[in-house]
Amino acid sequence: MKDKLPPLSRRKFLKTSLAAAAVTAGAGTPLVKSLVPGAHASGSRPPKGDLTSHFTACDMCFNRCGMIARVRNGVIEKIDPNPKFLKSRGMICARGNAATNHIYDPDRLKYPLRRTGKRGEGKWERISWEEALDYTAEKMLEIGEKYTRCGMMFIPGSDMQSQLVHRFAEVYGSFNITSHETLCLLSKNRAYLDTIGEVPYPDVFYSKYILIAGANPFEAIITPDTMDFFEARKNGCKIIVLDPRFTKTAAMADEWYQIKPGTDMAFFLALCHVIVKEELYDRDGCCPKMTYGFDEFFLHIQQYTPEWAQEECGIPSEDIIRIAREISAAAPSAMVYPGRRTSDYKDSTQIRRAMAITNALLNNFDKPGGLLALREVGVKTPYYDVPWYDDNPFDRVEAGLVPGLIDHEGSFQLMREAIISGEPYPIKGWFNFKTNFMQTAANRNKTLEMIDHLDFIVNIDIAMTDTAWYSDVVLPGASFLERKDPVSALQGSSACACAVLRDPVVPEMFESRSPFWICQELSKRMGFGDSFDFTMDEYRQKQLDGLDGALEAMLNDGVYYNPSQVYGIYSGSPLKTLSGVKEIFNQRYARSGVDPMPVYRKRRMPGENEFRLVVGRTAFFTHSNTNLELLTEFMEENVLNMHPEPAQNMGLKDGDLVEVKSQVGSGRLRLELTQGIEKQTVYMATGFGALSPQMSLVHNRGASIAEVLEDYHDEISGNMAMHETLVTVRKVA
Amino acid sequence: MKKKYCMVIDSSVCIDCKACMVSCKVQHKVPRGFWRNWIKNSDPDFTLGKYTSMHFQPGGCMQCDNPTCVYACPSGATFKDDETGIIHVNEDLCIGCGNCVKACPYHARYRHPVKRVPDKCDFCRERLDMGLLPACVDTCPTKARNFGDRNDPDSDVSRLLREQETVRIVSRPVDTEPNMFYLSSTMPMDWPGPVEYPAAHQAMVGVVNPLVKVAVGLSGLGVAAMFLKQLFTSDEASHEEKKEEV
Ligand code: SF4
Ligand code: SF4
Ligand code: SF4
C-alpha cells in the first residue's frame, strides 16, 4: 500500500481521495456520546466497513466552502476540504471541521415539540409531525384571517434552503420578511449601492494595498478573502488595519492603528482630503469626469484636514498623509476593504459611504485588485405567482421609518418596534428558520417584549436555541448534511463565480425534516399546495436552465464554475446609479433630506467610568452557534476585555467576576485584562450566556451580547447599530 | 524508496484559526482536554505601537531523527518507522509506563485516558495510506502547514527546504533533530522543556543502543523497573502528565 502512495500534491490527491480505501488505524474513544450508532464499539480494533466520500458545501457559516464528507457505516467520520473548490481555496475552517459535532450533537432536537407552559418556562410536549403541521397551519391561517396575511413575520435564515422559505412567505401572502443581514451588513450594501450602484466583491488576491477598518477577516473567516490576504502579501501587498482592538487581523497586518472607536469616518474624510488636495486621484480615468459631485466634494472636505482627524480618531496626521499617498500610488489595485458585519453605529451607512467614496477616488471598481462587479453565474430563481390579498396593507410594517430600507430585507429592529406598538398595523405571528435573534439582536428584553405581543411563534432549527426556547412550536430541521438543497450561486474575488448544491450525505436523523418539506406540507394544509408542488430535482432543473453541464460538474466536482467576464464588466456602460457614474454626491439622499456627502458628527462618548462596548467573534464560532463540544474546548465562556489602566483605577483585577451594565440590561462574566484594547472600550464575544438549558454547553456561561447591547439603528438602512452602547463595569462581590 | 516525511511550516501565515487542531481531533477522536497538535503564540509587545504584531506557531510531534521518546521507551513500543521516518507507538507492545511522555521535550505526547497508552501525531498514517494529506495540512486555510517527502527532490517540502532558509526548534539539552522545519523565522522558541529520562533507565540509555533494546525485548533491567512503576501508577498520577495548552 505504502509503495503506491501517490505524490501528495494538493492538485493530484482529489482523485485518490475519492477512491478511498479502507484504513488500518485504530479508532479511539468517540467524542460523540450517544448519537452515533455503534460509536462505543470501536475500541482499538480497525474500523470495519468502507469509507465513502461525498461532496457537499459547508453551512456552519454563510461562506459555503466545498467539503468532502467521509462516511463509514452511515456515520460521518470526517470532513475534508474539496480541493477543487476555488472559493474556499481548498480549506475548511475549525467550524467546518466541527460539522460532525453539529450533526451528532447530543443537544439536537429530535422531534416536534409544542409548548405547554408559559413561554420560556421550558414545558414541552412531544407531538407528531401530523399534529405539528396541522396546528401550525391552523394558527397561521387564523392570523391571516384576523390580521391579514401581513400579520405574519417571516425570518427565513441565511441557508441554502432559505430561498424556499422566502418563497413560502410570499405565497402565504406576507411581505413582512426580514433577515439576519439586518443585523449584519445592510449598511455597507446600502452605501455601495448608493455610490457605485452595486455591492462589490473585493479582489483581494491581486491587490497591492488594503486598508481594513473595523473588519476582522482573519478571525471572522471569509472565503476567499482570508486566504487571499496572504497570497497578496507574498506579492508585496501592504495591509493596514484600523481597530480599537488588537485583533488577529491587527496582529498580522503591516501596520495597526488603535483608532478611537466610532471615529473611522474622520479618518476616511481626511484621507480623501489628502487625495483630493494633492491631486492623487486618476485625473483622466476617474475624477472629476466619471464621478458625480466631485466639485461639491472638493469644497466639502476642505474642513476635514489630517490634523483635525488626528484629534478625533487618535491617528497621527503624518500617518494619514502617508497612507493617502501610498494607497493612491498603488491604485487602482488598492482598496478600502468593504468588510462585513458593518452594523456598528447610527451613521453606519455614512461611515461606509466615506469608505466607498475613498474607493471611488482610487478608481478601483471593476479592476484587478480593486472592487469587482457582480458576475453572472447563470443560476435562475424559478418563477412563482405571488397571490394578491385585497385586505393586505400597502407596504411593509416598517416602511418609511428610514429612508434607505433595503427591499426584501427590511429591518428587524424597526419591525420589532412596530410589533410592540401595533402601528401601523398588527403583526401577530412569527415564522422563524435558523436565526437566533434572542442571542444576536440587541436588547433582548425588547425582543421578549415583542414576543409578548405575538399569538404564535413557530421555529425550525436543529437545536433548541434561545429563540426556539421562547417559541410555541419547535420543528426539528434537518442539518445541511442530511438535505437535498437547491443550487446556490456564490461569488467572491476574481477566481470564483460558482454554483453548488447539496445532496444528503447521510439520512435525516430522528424525526428531523428539511424546511422545504415543511413548507410543502404547510402549503398543502393552507390551500396553496400548488405553489410548492415540485420536487427538488425539478426545481434545480429550472434553476440551471440553459447552463449546460452545470449539474454534471456539480455532481462530479462538487462545484460548477462559470467562466464569465471578470473585469471591465462596465467598461463603456453606465453604472446603476442615478447619474450613471460614481455618486460622490448622492442625489437621492439630497432629495430625501439625508446628507448627500458624509458629514462627520461627534458621537456620544463614554464619560468617566464608562466604556463603549464593542462585540465580535472568534475564528471558531459562528455567531450564536457555540454549543459544540469540539469548539467550546477553545473557549468555554466569553470574557470581558479591558485595558489594565482603567481596571487598576477601578480596583479590578484579571479574572474578577464583573457585571457589565447598560441602560437595557446587564450580564456577568470574567474580566480579562489586555493592553490590546483602547482604554475607554470593553469587548466581549458573541454567543454565550444562553437562556436555553438545552444549549447545555453555553447555558448561563458568560454573558450574552443581546442582553447588554442597546438597540440603536443605522438611520439610513435600519441596520442594527451594535457599537453605540455605553456600559459601566463593576466587580460582583 | 524509503521516505522521509517532514513538515515545513510557514508560521508567518498562521492565523491561529485552530482548524488544524479540530481537524486532527476529529480524525483521531482525541478526547477532550488533549491534543496531538497545537498553536503557540508570541507575546505582543505593545511598546511597538503600530508595528505591534503577533506570531502564531503551529506544532505537533517533530518526528525527530534523534528521538528521545524512543530512547526512553523500555519496551520498544515507541519506534521510528524505517520506511517513512514517522515515530509510531505499537500499542500492543506498550506497557503504559509513560516514560516517553516525559522524555519528549516538546510535550508532543499525552497519555490517552481510556486506552492508557501514549498518543501523538503520526502524520495521519492512515490518511497517507489513502493518498490523503495529514488532516491538519489538508484543512489549513492559509496553507501554513506543508507536508511531504524530503527524499523526493520534487516534493513541495524539498523545494521549500532547498529554496528557503529554515529553522528548527530544539530543546536545550538535546538536539532531537526534528523533522519539523519553520520557514525563515518563528516564535516563540523557548518552549521545549527538559528531556526527562527515568533514573533507573538513564544508565541503560547511556550504554545500550536503542535498537538493541528492541531485540532485548522486555528482559532488560530498565524494563523490569518500568513494569513496577506501571503497577504503582494510579489514575491520579496520570493527571500530572503535561497536557498541551492552547
Ligand atoms: S468558513 Fe468555515 S464554517 Fe464557513 S463555510 Fe467555510 S468551512 Fe464552513
Ligand atoms: S517530538 Fe517528542 S514524541 Fe515526537 S519524535 Fe520527537 S521526542 Fe518523540
Ligand atoms: S489551520 Fe493553519 S492557519 Fe489555522 S491555526 Fe492551523 S496552521 Fe494556523
Side-chain angles (χ1 to χ4, degrees), chain A residues 632-674:
Chain A
T632 49
E633 227 179 309
F634 297 115
M635 188 175 177
E636 293 197 323
E637 55 188 54
N638 59 354
V639 292
L640 191 74
N641 281 150
M642 185 188 276
H643 194 280
E645 214 175 279
Q648 201 178 19
N649 294 342
M650 293 163 61
L652 297 173
K653 290 188 313 295
D654 203 70
D656 279 351
L657 184 67
V658 294
E659 182 193 63
V660 50
K661 194 167 185 288
S662 72
Q663 304 279 347
V664 301
S666 65
R668 288 178 174 202
L669 71 181
R670 298 263 162 208
L671 194 66
E672 191 182 276
L673 301 182
T674 168

Side-chain angles (χ1 to χ4, degrees), chain B residues 13-21 39 58 136 139-145:
Chain B
V13 302
C14 173
I15 53 174
D16 192 26
C17 72
K18 322 276 195 207
C20 50
M21 294 174 72
I39 305 296
C136 58
T139 213
C140 175
T142 58
K143 304 308 170 205
R145 291 174 181 264

Side-chain angles (χ1 to χ4, degrees), chain A residues 158-214:
Chain A
S158 308
D159 177 281
M160 273 169 69
Q161 291 210 358
S162 293
Q163 53 178 303
L164 293 164
V165 181
H166 208 280
R167 176 185 179 122
F168 173 70
E170 286 194 78
V171 294
Y172 168 81
S174 175
F175 38 70
N176 285 317
I177 304 168
T178 186
S179 66
H180 159 77
E181 281 74 14
T182 69
L183 313 187
C184 182
L185 47 63
L186 292 190
S187 53
K188 175 206 85 179
N189 292 2
R190 186 77 266 166
Y192 281 89
L193 284 168
D194 296 340
T195 309
I196 54 174
E198 242 189 73
V199 180
Y201 288 88
D203 193 23
V204 171
F205 196 93
Y206 292 108
S207 203
K208 293 275 174 260
Y209 204 99
I210 303 175
L211 187 48
I212 305 174

